[in-house]
Amino acid sequence: MRYLASARDSLTTFSTRYYKDIRFWLIVLSIIRLYGITQPPLEFQHPWRQADGLMIARNFYENGPKILYPMVDTAGEKSGITGSEFPLLNYLMYLVSLVFGYQHWYGRLIVLIVSGFGSLYFYKSVRKFFDEPVAFNATIILTASYWFSYSRKTFPDCFSASLCLIALYFILEYLQTGKLPHLLLYLLSACLGCLSKISSTLILSVLILPVFSAAYPMQRKIWMLACSAIVLGCIGGWYFVWVPYLNETFGYGDHFTGGCPLLSMGWEEIRTNFPAILRRLFIIPTKYLGCLLFIASFIYVLYKKKWIVFLIFLIPYLCFLLIILKTGKSILMDQYYVLCSIPAFAFISGYTLSQIANKKVMWFILLAIAGESIGRQMNDHRPHKINTAFANLETIVDSVSNRTDLFVINSGPHCPTVMYFAHRKGWTVFPVKLQDRAYLDEVKAKGCKFVLISKRMYGDNYDIQLDLPQLFESDDFRIYSLK
């Protein structure tokens, strides 16, 4: 009986100390995401976007840590210096690589750690103004959402959004306490977060509410606005002055594009693809059960006239929809655009879920939503079968060329995956371009020495044969000489 009592006491201790502690669940979810974290970034979802940032990090390590001059490998004979998001994540990878040597998965680990703190500070921010169940539910929904898989990918979306969530907590602390360190931490984390990904700025749009609140001293609100103006100035300086300067000066601007030039063009693209875009906006973030909860939450909050809850959701979400108008149909391919909207999505869902009087029912719904969302993402934690061959590409390319030789590859103008894994520099073009002899002569004159055909990149219909000396062939690749 003594052992049964001891076991019962241990279970009670666990239930009171751990399963209601958000830190416990954030650690558990982080441990789950460690599965396959050292695998090459060749999963089905967006290996090209990860290769994009990894090129910059590797070039910092190999060619010099000039953080203001991010460099890619797909600029042909040019230096590769180009405008991009502020390369904070890439530079952190470089710093870790100085100690341990370059490995791609350092970026995954950095994003995972920062996103974990982002989820924690999201919880703490919600907890300031709402009950514990609201903050807990919202944080679990956030972390189990699309963030679950994208917070272990090496690109800046979750990384920057998490920094902005941390910034939001510190500015709310400053408004309540007036302590200067909190204001400075807001300035630092907001600046770094918004520079890393400009769309993450929308997370801080909820700060318009305390501006009009009488609960905070005017002087603190003025200092908050002053620091926010500095953040906006840094954003404008980087994205609208420095990025165009880099593109113009170094002659390669294809790396970073600004979406549709007019909102009307973006709307037309959205209208044409409306059903698919609705799926991206509402089902992708938290899957089907989460979407149903969101719809119910939207109706519930309006029916109960919970206007503050509604505004906390609506302000950042409207800002997000404006971003979607700017990007247009790009969200169909770049599904990660929704990541910056999920905190608002999770907040209103977590609030409504907490209103269920029967806590067992509440827990069941929460676990069902988290389970479905996580279960549908676990297959993205390992390389996809169509991409696995790229992992050994560098060894193949080393057997026929030197590290400094320029290549032209049939991977499309905006897909750097093959070039990254080949560990070379050069051009990435559509397959039809390689059948143009004049184009091959042009790149040869610019120093290109080899043509690499990735047979599976566009399917069997694009496995083209060239009238050039063939140096290598396998089931996946073919290499020709242009010398």
Side-chain angles (χ1 to χ4, degrees):
M1 294 296 293
R2 184 173 68 252
Y3 295 110
L4 290 176
S6 177
R8 185 170 59 251
D9 291 342
S10 298
L11 184 60
T12 301
T13 300
F14 171 80
S15 64
T16 56
R17 181 178 298 179
Y18 295 112
Y19 93 90
K20 292 184 179 180
D21 189 331
I22 193 64
R23 294 170 298 181
F24 170 77
W25 292 108
L26 292 178
I27 291 172
V28 169
L29 291 171
S30 294
I31 291 172
I32 295 172
R33 281 174 286 179
L34 288 174
Y35 168 70
I37 201 165
T38 61
Q39 292 287 332
L42 292 169
E43 50 265 31
F44 182 73
Q45 293 285 359
H46 302 104
W48 67 270
R49 186 64 176 90
Q50 295 184 82
D52 217 29
L54 289 168
M55 286 191 301
I56 295 175
R58 189 170 64 188
N59 279 316
F60 281 149
Y61 181 68
E62 295 179 346
N63 300 307
K66 298 180 180 179
I67 194 170
L68 298 181
Y69 297 89
M71 182 185 299
V72 297
D73 296 336
T74 53
E77 82 287 1
K78 299 181 177 70
S79 66
I81 295 173
T82 188
S84 70
E85 293 101 354
F86 184 72
L88 174 63
L89 173 60
N90 321 82
Y91 202 80
L92 291 175
M93 285 187 63
Y94 155 74
L95 293 177
V96 176
S97 298
L98 283 180
V99 180
F100 301 105
Y102 176 81
Q103 293 289 338
H104 71 85
W105 58 270
Y106 298 158
R108 292 187 189 270
L109 196 57
I110 292 169
V111 175
L112 181 58
I113 292 170
V114 173
S115 68
F117 280 102
S119 294
L120 177 62
Y121 279 95
F122 172 74
Y123 167 85
K124 295 173 74 172
S125 296
V126 176
R127 186 67 183 87
K128 280 180 173 295
F129 304 101
F130 297 92
D131 293 339
E132 164 73 19
V134 180
F136 186 93
N137 294 339
T139 304
I140 293 297
I141 292 171
L142 171 72
T143 311
S145 72
Y146 223 36
W147 278 46
F148 183 80
S149 59
Y150 279 83
S151 60
R152 61 186 301 283
K153 293 180 185 285
T154 307
F155 51 83
D157 295 73
C158 271
F159 174 80
S160 61
S162 297
L163 288 173
C164 287
L165 290 174
I166 294 170
L168 183 63
Y169 168 79
F170 281 119
I171 195 59
L172 293 174
E173 276 285 291
Y174 171 73
L175 289 172
Q176 290 182 336
T177 66
K179 294 181 179 179
L180 181 61
H182 293 148
L183 181 65
L184 297 177
L185 286 169
Y186 162 72
L187 177 61
L188 177 63
S189 51
C191 193
L192 293 177
C194 294
L195 280 172
S196 296
K197 187 77 176 185
I198 192 172
S199 58
S200 295
T201 308
L202 69 87
I203 291 173
L204 301 176
S205 62
V206 293
L207 292 176
I208 194 172
L209 293 175
V211 168
F212 293 101
S213 171
Y216 307 111
M218 180 60 68
Q219 185 180 24
R220 295 179 192 173
K221 292 190 283 189
I222 291 173
W223 277 111
M224 178 187 74
L225 292 173
C227 289
S228 299
I230 293 173
V231 173
L232 291 175
C234 291
I235 294 170
W238 180 265
Y239 284 97
F240 303 108
V241 178
W242 189 248
V243 164
Y245 166 78
L246 292 179
N247 292 342
E248 185 176 331
T249 302
F250 297 96
Y252 185 67
D254 292 342
H255 178 73
F256 184 77
T257 59
C260 298
L262 297 173
L263 293 182
S264 59
M265 294 174 61
W267 167 247
E268 183 59 29
E269 290 185 358
I270 290 172
R271 188 185 64 81
T272 305
N273 300 277
F274 199 61
I277 287 177
L278 281 181
R279 176 180 173 82
R280 295 293 188 272
L281 294 180
F282 298 109
I283 295 178
I284 285 294
T286 54
K287 308 307 177 187
Y288 293 96
L289 293 178
C291 180
L292 289 175
L293 176 61
F294 168 73
I295 294 171
S297 300
F298 192 84
I299 296 171
Y300 175 83
V301 168
L302 289 178
Y303 177 74
K304 292 292 187 178
K305 298 181 180 179
K306 303 293 183 180
W307 301 124
I308 293 298
V309 174
F310 185 65
L311 286 175
I312 292 173
F313 158 76
L314 187 64
I315 291 170
Y317 207 79
L318 284 179
C319 294
F320 165 68
L321 293 179
L322 286 175
I323 291 174
I324 296 305
L325 279 178
K326 178 64 174 173
T327 57
K329 66 179 180 182
S330 295
I331 193 175
L332 294 177
M333 181 179 68
D334 303 334
Q335 300 173 12
Y336 50 83
Y337 286 161
V338 303
L339 290 168
C340 59
S341 73
I342 297 180
F345 202 101
F347 165 72
I348 193 172
S349 298
Y351 175 83
T352 301
L353 189 60
S354 70
Q355 304 307 301
I356 298 176
N358 189 321
K359 297 309 174 186
K360 290 183 179 179
V361 173
M362 183 196 77
W363 269 93
F364 176 79
I365 295 173
L366 180 63
L367 291 174
I369 291 170
E372 183 203 18
S373 185
I374 292 172
R376 287 176 175 268
Q377 296 177 77
M378 285 303 295
N379 64 343
D380 200 42
H381 285 213
R382 55 184 180 271
H384 194 274
K385 60 182 180 181
I386 66 173
N387 296 324
T388 53
F390 296 134
N392 299 315
L393 181 56
E394 183 177 351
T395 301
I396 294 171
V397 174
D398 283 346
S399 68
V400 299
S401 67
N402 298 317
R403 184 60 54 83
T404 56
D405 292 333
L406 297 180
F407 274 68
V408 59
I409 300 175
N410 69 325
S411 60
H414 300 294
C415 185
T417 305
V418 187
M419 189 70 77
Y420 172 77
F421 280 95
H423 203 163
R424 295 297 188 271
K425 298 181 184 296
W427 299 260
T428 55
V429 298
F430 288 122
V432 66
K433 198 78 171 175
L434 297 179
Q435 296 175 306
D436 183 351
R437 186 66 214 195
Y439 175 75
L440 291 179
D441 290 339
E442 178 186 341
V443 294
K444 180 179 179 180
K446 293 178 180 179
C448 184
K449 294 184 178 180
F450 299 94
V451 179
L452 173 60
I453 304 295
S454 176
K455 295 182 180 182
R456 303 181 190 275
M457 177 59 66
Y458 292 97
D460 294 337
N461 292 334
Y462 292 92
D463 178 15
I464 57 177
Q465 299 278 349
L466 300 179
D467 186 20
L468 293 169
Q470 183 173 300
L471 303 178
F472 175 86
E473 182 169 20
S474 68
D475 291 339
D476 300 290
F477 306 108
R478 189 180 296 114
I479 301 176
Y480 296 97
S481 174
L482 265 181
K483 296 181 182 178

